[in-house]
Amino acid sequence: MRHHQSSRYGRYDGGPDPLAPPIDLSEALDAVADDVMAGYSPAQALREFLRRGGRTMAGLDELAGRVQQKRRDLLNRHRLDGTLQEAKKLLDEAVLEERKQLARDIRMDDTDRAFREMQLQNLPASTAAAVTELADYDWQSDTARRAFEEIKDLLGRELLDQRFAGMKNALENATEQDRTAIAAMLRDLNDLLDKHARGEDTPEDFRNFMAQHGDQFPEDPKDIDELIDALAERSAAAQRMLRSMSPEQREELMALSAQAFGSADLLDQLNRLDANLQGLRPGEDWTGAEQFDGDQGLGLGDGTGVFQDLAELDQLSDQLSQSAPGSTLSDVDVDRLSRQLGDEAAADARTLERLEKALRDSGLLQRGTDGDVRLSPKAVRKLGTTLLKDAAGRLSGRQGQRDTRLAGAAGELTGSSRAWQYGDVEPWDVTQTVTNAISRMVAEGRNPRTGLRIEVADVEVQETEARTQAAVALLVDTSFSMAAEGRWVPMKRTALALHHLVATRFRGDQLQLVQFGRYAQRVDIDELTALPPMREQGTNLHHGLMLATRFFRQHPTLQPVLLVVTDGEPTAHLLHHGGSGPEAWFSYPPDRETLRATIAELDRVGRLGAETTFFRLGSDPGLVDFLAAMARRVDGRVVAPETEDLGAAVVGEFLRTRSHPSDRSGPDWRD
């Protein structure tokens, strides 16, 4: 019998998107690492990436910009006199219909007709004053009477809609019984709030109130605090709307409001409600105001909704700014974002939150003993892999360049095997590869006899070791010009790629990284990665060569390889003052003694038999001549790559020296 599997479908609940692709950390890690190498702290770099977003993902800045655009659209689209204009329209309609009735009623006494026409002719310009004056008028036209009564009904519904969303529509064509029920609800609500303010209410009081009036509260609050929060938010928005009107509009509206439902009791209860809510929730914005410049009139209820939208947009703007100490993307109210900007914006925010959490939980960032967040060794290795792949791509793309594949295979088989890694060209260990595939299929519950499938993770290659192990000194210029000319990050990416190559392909080699500015010092790869741009002047190649010489002498059995990355002539060298320790002497233009000391130290390196390559960044004639002369002294090379090709150039030169030490040919990096 065929087995049928049932499935259930339901409405998407707005949680994590089950169809969303898995979070790809590689783009984020590359961006964070670039910013770290440019001088940002990892925490700052992560924030900057989240602000910018990725290739297919909106960042915080874009979302914040859309929030601000919607805010501007609301202010530029609307004006606040909608209720006043609607009341005036109804008043004009009532007066016009009454005049028509007076003109065609031939049975009316002429004196009475003249008096009424004069009364209508001399109505005040103010709508509120006119409505007040006509409050006791004996309308002759039924149509006019209904239009006038609708003014009072409109004001009552609008005032209620300001505090209770949806009341304007719910009370359309309301009966006297409906109005009585609303009045009773307001009195009971105010009594409950008074009792709560005194601390005398009980949960039973709230339940009794909701049992009697719950149909007026579609938000379905679970307790009195939820009820107060919802009411206070809308009431505060109503107050901000009132304060945003001109003094004339505000005065007109307050005078008209006294006519609501033909009774002053409604306005009294609403004023009492506002006072209660302001006392219970003083933290709401009760005094703000906005400037509207549009032409679409807003009624009191709709206007209050717009002010609530503006408040939500302001809150979202604060959340998206991530400016509060300790703020994370989990602070962003995704439901509000969806309500204001749509589901796509909410999905982008959820993706950013997932990405932030994944980066923090991935182990790619860690907190050091000094408390600072930094790239973890795992992140450095992952970034090194990426940079090495990039260098491989650039190497294979150079015209006439041999396909080295970064394998480091110029060695003897060791008899052991290891997992295949990107770029390996060593022969497969077929026996171990097949064994791995069989073991994996058995662990997965499959029978290898039905067909053996080899996956990439199964492949192992025969391990080799280089015939000649090397001591590699990479000297990188960290003077001010490197940062000023945009060479700081490429320099660090180069060091990281070379470090990863030696660590993964030439495990028997020793690598030392040396930075040289006014002084030189040995640095670990994570220190160099996090090093901010140096603002000191000085290119002390003399000191850097001294450290390289010391390193080579510490490894006398290894082949010395010297790689120097610089963009300027030496402008500093060390002076020794006996017991006071060395001091850097700086001079620009380069001092003759600085050049003499640098050349003397290079000669010491040359006597050790070091394979030497200078990587020249820049085309200053003095630098060109100096490095050419330096290379000739030690039978070395000078390559001049473009800045973006620096990593591939250094890696390529290293591979050349490791595979063919006597080969002085190689790719032409002069563009």
Side-chain angles (χ1 to χ4, degrees):
M1 294 180 63
R2 180 177 296 176
H3 177 69
H4 294 280
Q5 182 176 359
S6 62
S7 301
R8 298 183 62 188
Y9 298 87
R11 182 182 296 274
Y12 176 53
D13 62 2
D17 185 356
L19 301 180
I23 292 294
D24 180 9
L25 296 181
S26 58
E27 181 188 6
L29 177 61
D30 289 346
V32 169
D34 274 349
D35 284 345
V36 167
M37 288 191 286
Y40 288 89
S41 72
Q44 290 174 319
L46 175 57
R47 285 196 298 270
E48 285 302 310
F49 176 75
L50 294 174
R51 302 199 72 81
R52 294 192 302 265
R55 290 185 296 270
T56 60
M57 172 184 59
L60 293 175
D61 283 347
E62 181 179 338
L63 293 176
R66 290 162 62 185
V67 165
Q68 290 302 316
Q69 184 60 51
K70 180 169 183 181
R71 195 183 198 285
R72 288 192 294 270
D73 289 345
L74 289 174
L75 295 176
N76 293 333
R77 185 186 313 144
H78 299 295
R79 66 172 191 264
L80 301 181
D81 60 350
T83 298
L84 293 174
Q85 292 299 319
E86 194 169 353
K88 185 179 186 306
K89 179 181 176 181
L90 289 171
L91 177 63
D92 291 344
E93 180 183 343
V95 171
L96 178 60
E97 290 298 325
E98 181 68 6
R99 283 176 172 169
K100 289 179 180 179
Q101 180 63 31
L102 295 177
R104 63 174 172 258
D105 190 348
I106 59 176
R107 294 176 297 176
M108 180 177 292
D109 179 74
D110 289 341
T111 303
D112 186 21
R113 189 197 321 273
F115 178 77
R116 290 174 180 275
E117 289 176 345
M118 183 177 63
Q119 188 175 3
L120 296 176
Q121 181 68 32
N122 295 316
L123 286 174
S126 164
T127 301
V131 169
T132 301
E133 186 167 317
L134 293 174
D136 298 324
Y137 181 81
D138 181 18
W139 297 91
Q140 300 301 298
S141 167
D142 291 338
T143 302
R145 181 183 297 106
R146 286 193 297 270
F148 186 78
E149 292 299 325
E150 193 175 339
I151 295 175
K152 300 178 181 179
D153 184 68
L154 168 69
L155 291 169
R157 290 186 294 122
E158 286 278 20
L159 289 171
L160 286 170
D161 202 40
Q162 274 194 301
R163 278 75 173 184
F164 308 94
M167 278 287 192
K168 180 179 180 180
N169 295 329
L171 288 178
E172 192 170 7
N173 301 319
T175 65
E176 192 60 37
Q177 184 178 0
D178 294 329
R179 297 192 184 99
T180 301
I182 290 295
M185 181 274 289
L186 286 173
R187 285 192 297 272
D188 291 346
L189 176 58
N190 278 315
D191 290 343
L192 177 62
L193 296 181
D194 284 339
K195 199 172 184 180
H196 182 73
R198 297 192 303 269
E200 299 173 358
D201 64 315
T202 65
E204 186 66 24
D205 292 329
F206 173 75
R207 287 193 291 269
N208 290 338
F209 175 81
M210 292 302 295
Q212 187 172 358
H213 305 293
D215 57 336
Q216 306 291 344
F217 301 91
E219 303 91 350
D220 191 25
K222 299 298 184 291
D223 54 38
I224 192 169
D225 286 319
E226 285 192 14
L227 174 65
I228 293 172
D229 287 340
L231 291 173
E233 181 181 301
R234 193 159 178 89
S235 179
Q239 294 301 313
R240 294 196 299 276
M241 180 178 181
L242 190 64
R243 289 178 175 273
S244 300
M245 294 179 176
S246 67
E248 295 77 15
Q249 290 174 333
R250 190 160 50 244
E251 182 179 351
E252 185 88 351
L253 181 63
M254 295 307 296
L256 269 176
S257 298
Q259 304 293 328
F261 287 151
S263 168
D265 182 56
L266 173 64
L267 189 59
D268 291 341
Q269 289 294 337
L270 290 177
N271 288 337
R272 181 186 171 197
L273 176 62
D274 289 339
N276 278 328
L277 293 172
Q278 189 165 356
L280 291 168
R281 293 293 185 270
E284 291 284 345
D285 182 5
W286 297 90
T287 60
E290 300 287 351
Q291 179 66 46
F292 287 79
D293 300 314
D295 55 9
Q296 296 181 15
L298 285 171
L300 298 182
D302 291 340
T304 299
V306 168
F307 273 84
Q308 284 185 289
D309 285 340
L310 291 172
E312 280 197 351
L313 291 169
D314 288 341
Q315 291 169 357
L316 286 171
S317 183
D318 288 341
Q319 293 165 4
L320 292 170
S321 73
Q322 295 285 283
S323 57
S327 59
T328 66
L329 286 178
S330 61
D331 299 329
V332 177
D333 191 325
V334 178
D335 291 335
R336 286 185 172 181
L337 191 64
S338 176
R339 186 162 57 246
Q340 294 297 336
L341 298 185
D343 293 338
E344 183 179 345
D348 285 336
R350 289 192 183 96
T351 301
L352 288 172
E353 182 182 359
R354 289 170 57 210
L355 179 62
E356 179 188 45
K357 185 177 187 302
L359 277 172
R360 295 185 184 278
D361 295 345
S362 65
L364 299 176
L365 302 177
Q366 69 178 21
R367 195 170 296 278
T369 55
D370 56 0
D372 290 338
V373 177
R374 62 185 58 179
L375 296 177
S376 68
K378 176 182 177 182
V380 172
R381 289 193 300 272
K382 186 175 179 67
L383 182 59
T385 301
T386 301
L387 296 176
L388 197 54
K389 288 181 181 179
D390 179 66
R394 289 182 178 273
L395 271 174
S396 61
R398 302 295 296 190
Q399 292 183 354
Q401 169 65 8
R402 292 180 300 274
D403 185 14
T404 63
R405 301 291 293 172
L406 307 180
E412 303 293 343
L413 296 177
T414 64
S416 60
S417 65
R418 59 177 174 80
W420 177 87
Q421 300 181 40
Y422 177 84
D424 285 342
V425 294
E426 291 90 344
W428 282 20
D429 186 327
V430 178
T431 301
Q432 189 59 48
T433 297
V434 173
T435 301
N436 291 345
I438 293 173
S439 300
R440 176 181 50 76
M441 292 185 68
V442 170
E444 294 172 352
R446 294 188 289 168
N447 186 357
R449 295 184 179 181
T450 62
L452 185 65
R453 292 183 62 85
I454 296 176
E455 297 183 357
V456 173
D458 302 326
V459 178
E460 292 205 14
V461 295
Q462 298 178 26
E463 196 168 47
T464 64
E465 62 181 6
R467 295 188 181 96
T468 303
Q469 295 176 331
V472 185
L474 175 62
L475 278 57
V476 291
D477 188 343
T478 56
S479 61
F480 173 75
S481 60
M482 289 288 287
E485 297 296 330
R487 297 160 182 158
W488 192 260
V489 172
M491 173 271 292
K492 293 212 256 185
R493 293 172 70 92
T494 297
L496 191 51
L498 181 62
H499 177 273
H500 189 72
L501 175 61
V502 172
T504 57
R505 304 290 194 274
F506 297 90
R507 295 181 178 88
D509 288 0
Q510 298 294 320
L511 174 64
Q512 177 172 278
L513 302 175
V514 176
Q515 66 171 83
F516 61 96
R518 179 70 68 97
Y519 292 90
Q521 63 176 347
R522 296 185 300 272
V523 289
D524 294 331
I525 188 60
D526 57 340
E527 293 176 314
L528 183 62
T529 302
L531 186 69
M534 308 294 285
R535 299 301 177 186
E536 64 178 9
Q537 291 181 318
T539 304
N540 198 336
L541 179 57
H542 170 240
H543 192 186
L545 291 172
M546 289 176 64
L547 295 180
T549 302
R550 185 180 307 166
F551 170 65
F552 293 148
R553 286 173 175 166
Q554 289 171 348
H555 301 281
T557 63
L558 305 184
Q559 169 62 39
V561 176
L562 175 65
L563 306 172
V564 180
V565 177
T566 184
D567 71 344
E569 299 174 74
T571 55
H573 70 283
L574 287 188
L575 298 176
H576 293 274
H577 298 290
S580 62
E583 178 183 346
W585 167 266
F586 169 75
S587 174
Y588 182 83
D591 184 80
R592 182 178 297 275
E593 186 59 34
T594 297
L595 297 177
R596 184 181 297 114
T598 303
I599 292 171
E601 196 60 44
L602 178 69
D603 289 343
R604 294 187 181 93
V605 172
R607 286 194 290 271
L608 294 175
E611 284 274 337
T612 301
T613 305
F614 294 95
F615 299 89
R616 173 171 57 80
L617 300 178
S619 55
D620 178 74
L623 176 64
V624 172
D625 294 342
F626 174 76
L627 290 184
M630 292 278 279
R632 285 194 297 270
R633 292 186 71 90
V634 292
D635 196 19
R637 281 167 52 87
V638 177
V639 295
E642 294 295 330
T643 302
E644 63 271 16
D645 281 332
L646 178 61
V650 172
V651 168
E653 283 298 305
F654 169 75
L655 290 173
R656 182 191 61 77
T657 61
R658 299 297 290 111
S659 301
H660 305 282
S662 61
D663 181 11
R664 296 303 180 191
S665 65
D668 183 8
W669 295 95
R670 300 173 185 266
D671 290 355

